[in-house]
Amino acid sequence: MTTVMGICRSFHDRALARFFHCFPCLSDPARRSSWGLKVTLVMLHLIFVGILFVFDGDLIETTKKEPCYVFDVMRAVNETNVICQKSSMASKQPASSQNGSLNVVIEGSQSGRNFQGSNPSSWTKLVMDMYPPGTSIRSCTCSYCNVEQPPRAKHCHDCDKCVLQFDHHCLWLGSCVGQDNHCKFWWYICEETALCLWTGILYIMYLKANISRAWWKDAIMILLLIALSIVIIFLLLLLLFHSYLVLTNQTTYELVRCRRIPYLRRIPERVYPFSKGICRNLYNFCCVRSSIYSLEPLPSSQELEEKARPYTCLDILACRCC
């Protein structure tokens, strides 16, 4: 028995010595304890998250936030209209907001009403009221989906759907960026930029502390740092660009293709037709509930003249830009 235990102990010591020879960083008990704690924390995260994904099969679908599609809003408006008409005919009274309530906010001074199910109009009439009088219904009907598009909507050929406040189709996320997920896209870019900046700082600190080591290690780190710097520059420019869009209430599609969009051709340069001021633009972008569909009509000629008027000192004191 003693001989067997001695053989096992000797085999264990040889295996440990070989392991420490292959991984000398773990020969120190303090470093070994630190690495063990790090591995344990990572495994705990993997276990907790893995169990959550195993038991909640719809978690991926619910966390993958999609933009607002025109077809979904149109169907909801028409269904609410039918429900309210039936309720009104049955009770001979205007239907209450409990019957087919729908949160569709139509902004702007032309409409300025909250569409919550009390005597709602059909989708076609709702869309046509957002355009100037005399606009042909054919000019605002999508040739692919055959639905009436409100202002700022566009058909995405990758998703094969019309998107409210279409910004662009993100290949990295695999979905469109538009109303209801543009804010999350901005925060995604912000977090990626912060992560890359933090990683770049760690690279620089490593090179400053270990510049006298083997040249090939430094060369690899320098090449990685150069690639990371290019990514950081791209992310910073993208973050600044989308921050500018948020502050002026624009989309990438509207800014790039403004001369190809019929209702934006008459807009003078450096005039933001859908801007409501910096503060309100930020509030609508960050704080408006995702359960509300926001539809913005085209501004009137008087509103465009007001927006095109240059700022004066009194305007700045009166916070006209906000």
Side-chain angles (χ1 to χ4, degrees):
M1 186 69 179
T2 306
T3 306
V4 174
M5 290 181 64
I7 294 172
C8 292
R9 188 178 295 110
S10 175
F11 177 78
H12 179 265
D13 292 340
R14 286 200 304 271
L16 248 129
R18 185 175 300 177
F19 178 79
F20 289 146
H21 178 73
C22 296
F23 302 98
C25 61
L26 297 178
S27 58
D28 185 10
R31 297 185 67 180
R32 188 164 62 245
S33 175
S34 175
W35 274 98
L37 179 61
K38 293 176 182 177
V39 171
T40 303
L41 289 175
V42 172
M43 292 302 298
L44 283 175
H45 281 82
L46 292 177
I47 290 172
F48 284 127
V49 175
I51 291 176
L52 184 62
F53 274 94
V54 167
F55 285 98
D56 190 355
D58 299 330
L59 182 61
I60 297 178
E61 295 298 327
T62 54
T63 53
K64 183 182 177 182
K65 189 66 175 177
E66 293 184 342
C68 291
Y69 295 118
V70 174
F71 182 78
D72 297 333
V73 186
M74 180 192 69
R75 182 175 56 187
V77 168
N78 289 334
E79 288 178 354
T80 307
N81 187 33
V82 172
I83 293 174
C84 290
Q85 285 180 354
K86 290 181 179 179
S87 301
S88 299
M89 291 177 63
S91 60
K92 294 183 180 180
Q93 293 179 356
S96 64
S97 60
Q98 296 179 353
N99 297 325
S101 64
L102 175 67
N103 292 325
V104 178
V105 176
I106 305 174
E107 301 181 355
S109 60
Q110 288 180 348
S111 300
R113 56 180 188 268
N114 195 350
F115 204 71
Q116 293 187 343
S118 60
N119 193 20
S121 306
S122 65
W123 175 252
T124 303
K125 185 177 182 303
L126 191 68
V127 171
M128 296 308 298
D129 287 343
M130 300 181 193
Y131 289 94
T135 303
S136 173
I137 190 173
R138 182 178 298 179
S139 62
C140 59
T141 301
C142 177
S143 58
Y144 299 95
C145 301
N146 199 26
V147 298
E148 294 80 10
Q149 292 179 337
R152 313 194 73 183
K154 181 190 177 295
H155 183 86
C156 176
H157 297 281
D158 296 288
C159 299
D160 198 25
K161 293 181 180 178
C162 290
V163 182
L164 287 177
Q165 292 186 16
F166 175 83
D167 188 88
H168 71 284
H169 183 87
C170 182
L171 297 176
W172 182 256
L173 299 178
S175 64
C176 285
V177 177
Q179 188 181 120
D180 212 17
N181 69 342
H182 195 179
C183 181
K184 295 177 178 60
F185 177 77
W186 187 93
W187 280 110
Y188 170 73
I189 300 174
C190 184
E191 291 169 0
E192 288 291 330
T193 306
L195 179 61
C196 289
L197 285 172
W198 178 63
T199 308
I201 292 172
L202 292 180
Y203 269 70
I204 295 172
M205 292 174 62
Y206 171 83
L207 289 173
K208 288 177 64 176
N210 304 280
I211 197 67
S212 59
R213 289 194 176 184
W215 66 270
W216 59 271
K217 289 185 179 180
D218 292 338
I220 292 175
M221 295 296 289
I222 290 173
L223 289 176
L224 291 175
L225 182 59
I226 292 173
L228 184 62
S229 301
I230 297 173
V231 174
I232 289 174
I233 293 173
F234 171 76
L235 286 174
L236 279 174
L237 291 176
L238 189 63
L239 181 63
L240 291 174
F241 174 70
H242 277 274
S243 300
Y244 165 74
L245 294 179
V246 171
L247 294 176
T248 56
N249 194 14
Q250 296 184 90
T251 63
T252 303
Y253 174 70
E254 292 171 349
L255 184 63
V256 175
R257 301 293 182 90
C258 60
R259 295 308 168 197
R260 297 183 60 181
I261 303 174
Y263 55 82
L264 292 182
R265 291 174 185 168
R266 62 187 181 93
I267 307 296
E269 292 185 1
R270 297 184 181 180
V271 173
Y272 314 116
F274 301 105
S275 177
K276 305 169 186 65
I278 295 176
C279 295
R280 191 174 177 189
N281 290 339
L282 285 173
Y283 175 78
N284 292 338
F285 185 79
C286 301
C287 304
V288 172
R289 293 179 300 167
S290 60
S291 60
I292 297 178
Y293 300 114
S294 179
L295 303 178
E296 299 181 66
L298 293 178
S300 62
S301 301
Q302 295 178 352
E303 290 175 331
L304 289 176
E305 291 178 1
E306 179 68 20
K307 293 177 185 292
R309 185 168 57 86
Y311 290 103
T312 61
C313 296
L314 292 176
D315 293 331
I316 296 174
L317 292 175
C319 298
R320 176 189 161 204
C321 59
C322 300

